[in-house]
Amino acid sequence: MGIKVAKFGGSSLADAEHFRKVKAIIESDPDYRYVVPSAPGKRFDGDTKVTDLLYQCHRLVESGRSHEEPFRKIAERYTQIAAELELDFDVTGMLNETSEAIRRYKNPDFAASRGEYMNGVILSKYLDWDFIDAQDVIKFDRQGSFAAEWTNEVMGEALKNHSRAVIPGFYGSYPNGDVHTFSRGGSDITGAIVARAACADVYVNWTDVSGFMMADPRIVKDPKIIRELSYAELRELSYMGATVLHEDAIFPVHKAGIPTNIRNTNAPQDPGTMIVMKTSGDRENGQVITGIAGHKNFSLLSIEKAMMNSELGFGRRVLQALEDFGVSFEHLPTGIDTMSVVIADKELVTRKDQIIQRIQQTCQPDTIEISAGIALIATVGHGMSRTPGTAAKLFNALYEAGVNIRMIDQGSSEMNIIVGINIEDFETAMNAIYRAFVKD
Ligand code: ASP
C-alpha cells in the first residue's frame, strides 16, 4: 500500500456538492491518508472567495468598524455546507468563536487563515478523519520565512500519530505561536510540505482543470493537456508565466523526489498531468516539445563595439552597471562585437538613462540603445535535445507567420529555446509555434 496526499483547491470545496465529490475521490482509494483543504472558493462568476471576505472582515475591524456584514456571508456559506451534508456538529458555535477572535486579535493573517481552518474542521467531520491544526505543525521563523526542516520534523512526528488526517492549508505559526500565512494560493505549498513529511508516493493536487496545458488557452485555442513533464520543465514554463501551481509548492516535493499529479475534481476520471523527476521520454505521437509559455513587457539593451570579443572585462563592466543600479536581467545573448541584454521593463522604469550613461562611461561602446516592446516566448521540452531540426522548425514557423525574431537564446541544457519578438507579434508567434509542433 502506498501513501497519497491530496490537496483540494478552493473551487473544489466551494459548496456541499463539491464536498461530496471530494469524499467520493478520497474513499475511492485507500492510499489517500492526508488531505489538505483550501478555503471555499468561488461557486460562480462574480462570487467572492471566503478568504477575500475574511480579509474584508479584518480591514473593517482594523478601522474600528463592524465586520458583521462580510462575516454574515462567510457564516452562510459554512452553515449551508454543514446543513446540506447533514453534519452533526455545532457550526454556529465555531463561527461565533471565529468572528469574536477576528475582532479581538486584529491580525490579518489570523483572519485569513480561518477560511482553511473552518473548512478543515468541517471536512474532517464529514470524512470522519482526525484534524491536525496547521498552526501546530507548519513553522515559520521570527522573520516570517518558512522553516522547512523544523516543519518537516514536527509534521513528521505529528503524522505518525494519525493514520488519516485533514490538515488545513495556507497557514502555520511563528515561533511564539501566532498564526502566519503563506502568500495567496499557499495551500498548494502546505500540500507539498505534508507530502514530503509523510514520505508520500505521490502528491495529488486536485483543482478545477484536467492538468497543465501546453500553452495559455487565452491565446491558443484548446491547447492539449501535458500528460507528463519534469520539475525542471515546469520551472521553465512557470518562470515564463504559465500558472497552475503556486511556484513555491514545487520545492518540497521536488526535493524529496515525490511526483505531483494535477487532477480535476469535476472530472476525476481524467489522468491529469504528472510532474516527475525525469520524464519517461516516450512523448505521445512523437511530440518533441512539452509546452510553450511567454511573457510580454521586456526591453532589449543592445550594445555594439568593434573588437568587443577581445576586450577583457567588457561583459563584466556592462553587468556591473546593471548591478550597481539594482537591475537584474533575464537573458544575455552575445555575438562577436555585439551584446544584448534582455531586461524586464519594470526593472528599468526610473533607471534607464543612468544605466546607459554608466555603460557609456565604463565601456565606451560604438552604439548603445534600449528598445522596449519585446515579448519572450519559451518553447520547452527535454525532447528537443534529442531531435534534430527542432530549432529549424521553430524558426520556420515564425518566418511563415511573418514574425521577426529579435533575439534567440538556447539554454545549455537544450531544454528550451527562447525567442524575443515584438509585442504585437506575441499571439501570432505563440500560435505559430504551437501549430508547428502539436498535431491535432
Ligand atoms: N485560500 C487562500 C487563497 O485564497 C489560499 C489557497 O486557496 O491556497 O489565497
Side-chain angles (χ1 to χ4, degrees), residues 339-357:
M339 183 170 169
S340 318
V341 191
V342 179
I343 304 167
D345 286 345
K346 63 176 187 326
E347 293 280 321
L348 286 172
V349 195
T350 54
R351 294 166 283 200
K352 196 166 149 182
D353 296 336
Q354 291 157 303
I355 292 169
I356 295 195
Q357 217 175 26

Side-chain angles (χ1 to χ4, degrees), residues 38-39 49 51 116 170 184-188:
S38 283
K49 287 176 162 195
T51 309
E116 271 67 11
F170 189 40
R184 295 299 304 265
S187 299
D188 280 343

Side-chain angles (χ1 to χ4, degrees), residues 405-422:
I405 303 174
R406 303 279 305 270
M407 186 229 50
I408 299 170
D409 196 3
Q410 179 173 30
S412 51
S413 60
E414 290 185 52
M415 190 175 60
N416 65 14
I417 299 177
I418 295 169
V419 290
I421 53 168
N422 294 329

Side-chain angles (χ1 to χ4, degrees), residues 29-30 32 37 78 115-116 245 280 300 304 317 331 366 404 408:
D29 185 345
Y32 282 119
Y78 287 110
E116 271 67 11
L245 268 185
S280 53
L300 198 59
E304 267 182 48
R317 290 197 297 277
H331 299 282
D366 296 335
N404 182 26
I408 299 170

